[in-house]
Amino acid sequence: MKTRITVAVLTFALVVYFWLLGQRGFYLLETGTVVGISLGIGVLILPVIGVVLVVFELRFGAATARLARRLAQDDELPDDEGLTRRPSGRIERASADAYFETVRTRVEADEGNWRLWYELGYAYNLAGDRKRARAAMRTAIELAGR
């Protein structure tokens, strides 16, 4: 629930920011000068790009949360309890890498299993590779939708 509130607050803040940015863009367009119109068009493009990115991120988060709920219903959420932790509570890199290797091997054996791809994304995240974690989660979302 905390995450949803945080996402809602941040999304609201972005909407307000995009609204204010859009107002400035229209103000620049109204100047009637070549420079003002050019800058106004540029400024108006930014909120459009921002809205598209926010929508993509919200859809990705919702799809990932749906998969997590499905795994939780079946009591199959990835478990990191056996991994070695630092005093701060963070998982040690060597332990995360070893976990990643075992999951990667299982995914290679069954590439059509969305549950394994979800776990691979989780393992990538533990190993600190956010880009590949997101890519693995996208694959899990795609496979689960079939």
Side-chain angles (χ1 to χ4, degrees):
M1 189 54 120
K2 253 177 142 176
T3 303
R4 288 182 185 215
I5 292 170
T6 302
V7 168
V9 168
L10 290 175
T11 302
F12 178 75
L14 280 172
V15 167
V16 169
Y17 176 73
F18 295 151
W19 175 262
L20 293 172
L21 199 58
Q23 284 182 326
R24 291 292 154 205
F26 283 116
Y27 172 76
L28 287 167
L29 288 176
E30 291 172 352
T31 63
T33 66
V34 174
V35 173
I37 292 171
S38 299
L39 286 172
I41 291 170
V43 168
L44 286 174
I45 289 173
L46 294 175
V48 172
I49 292 170
V51 166
V52 168
L53 291 175
V54 167
V55 168
F56 282 150
E57 288 301 311
L58 291 174
R59 289 181 65 205
F60 175 76
T64 303
R66 274 193 304 275
L67 294 185
R69 281 192 301 274
R70 285 176 63 181
L71 289 171
Q73 284 176 342
D74 299 337
D75 199 30
E76 294 181 10
L77 275 173
D79 185 17
D80 61 8
E81 292 208 14
L83 302 178
T84 309
R85 295 183 180 272
R86 295 179 183 162
S88 65
R90 292 191 60 161
I91 295 171
E92 287 187 8
R93 177 69 185 229
S95 184
D97 288 343
Y99 174 65
F100 164 77
E101 285 301 323
T102 61
V103 175
R104 185 179 60 83
T105 303
R106 291 178 27 225
V107 168
E108 288 173 354
D110 186 8
E111 291 186 2
N113 187 336
W114 71 265
R115 295 168 190 272
L116 292 176
W117 278 99
Y118 184 96
E119 188 173 3
L120 182 65
Y122 183 73
Y124 270 126
N125 190 49
L126 291 178
D129 192 342
R130 306 288 187 262
K131 184 177 179 181
R132 287 191 177 131
R134 292 176 67 81
M137 287 296 186
R138 281 190 204 96
T139 302
I141 292 165
E142 179 185 324
L143 291 172
R146 292 183 185 172

